Amino acid sequence: MPRVRSVSDEKIVIAALSLIAKRGTAMTLAEVGDEVGLSAATVVQRFGSKRALKLEIARIWARLPTPHFHGPGTPIERLYAGLASTLKMVQTPDHVNNMMAVLHVDLVDDAFRTIIQESLRYNREMIRGVLQEALEAGDLRSCDTHELAGQVQVVGFGALHVWAIQPDGDPVEHVVDHARLLIDAYRPVSAV
């Protein structure tokens, strides 16, 4: 009979993601184990390596449900809530910088790049769906919602990076405010 795991893989992944935000590429499996009360050897036994653990984080992140895009409110309100929900882990400029440092290191790995590309496509499709609803409801002027969804992603990432370099206020508000500026340019005059 297999041993019962006292700590779930999900809890380990969440701890590792939190450590990546705090420590970036310097995060170690021993630190992950310490966070969840396991030895580094047990973490290695579960995931095989730091790379394998980071791949699992990327896979989970790529499949994260985005209920805010489908929740209550107008499509535009849901868009902003969805953007805000994806940033809930960001609390300091160092968190953004550490996450970006890890991303940049990982992008040279084909397996990571594939997962990240899938995640971006999935996220863009969620944004496009909400924008399409807004267009059909008359909350947007005629536009290519696929292209606009890509612009929302670029503005969101860019605004987050600028905030990390020059932090002023809340990072979530900073990103949503910049997305709002973009979306307002596509809204009927009566809706702005």
Side-chain angles (χ1 to χ4, degrees):
M1 180 165 194
R3 264 176 68 186
V4 175
R5 292 183 171 180
S6 62
V7 178
S8 69
D9 287 352
E10 181 179 313
K11 187 172 181 179
I12 296 169
V13 166
I14 291 168
L17 187 56
S18 176
L19 281 167
I20 287 171
K22 292 175 189 168
R23 306 242 313 118
T25 57
M27 184 253 331
T28 67
L29 295 180
E31 289 173 320
V32 173
D34 288 345
E35 282 286 314
V36 296
L38 297 174
S39 69
T42 301
V43 176
V44 170
Q45 184 180 23
R46 294 262 193 102
F47 294 94
S49 66
K50 182 176 173 180
R51 177 183 179 274
L53 175 58
K54 287 170 43 187
L55 275 169
E56 186 60 19
I57 291 168
R59 279 188 204 96
I60 288 170
W61 189 266
R63 295 187 307 259
L64 275 179
T66 52
H68 294 89
F69 285 119
H70 306 289
T74 69
I76 299 294
E77 289 168 346
R78 292 194 325 257
L79 171 67
Y80 301 143
L83 291 174
S85 73
T86 64
L87 298 170
K88 61 186 166 198
M89 181 170 253
V90 176
Q91 298 170 359
T92 71
D94 285 344
H95 287 171
V96 176
N97 296 330
N98 288 334
M99 298 286 271
M100 294 315 300
V102 169
L103 174 65
H104 290 168
V105 168
D106 291 345
L107 281 175
V108 300
D109 182 316
D110 288 339
F112 277 105
R113 189 178 321 103
T114 298
I115 293 168
I116 292 164
Q117 288 170 339
E118 290 170 11
S119 177
L120 283 173
R121 279 191 294 272
Y122 173 77
N123 182 263
R124 186 174 186 167
E125 188 52 33
M126 291 294 102
I127 294 169
R128 191 211 58 77
V130 173
L131 292 172
Q132 187 64 39
E133 287 181 49
L135 180 66
E136 292 167 6
D139 290 337
L140 290 177
R141 289 184 280 120
S142 181
C143 65
D144 180 335
T145 55
H146 180 76
E147 288 301 317
L148 183 53
Q151 291 175 20
V152 169
Q153 285 181 309
V154 169
V155 166
F157 286 126
L160 187 59
H161 286 13
V162 169
W163 178 85
I165 295 165
Q166 293 179 309
D168 183 24
D170 179 75
V172 174
E173 288 177 17
H174 186 80
V175 169
V176 171
D177 287 348
H178 281 79
R180 187 174 283 114
L181 287 170
L182 170 65
I183 296 299
D184 282 352
Y186 288 86
R187 298 197 68 194
V189 174
S190 61
V192 177

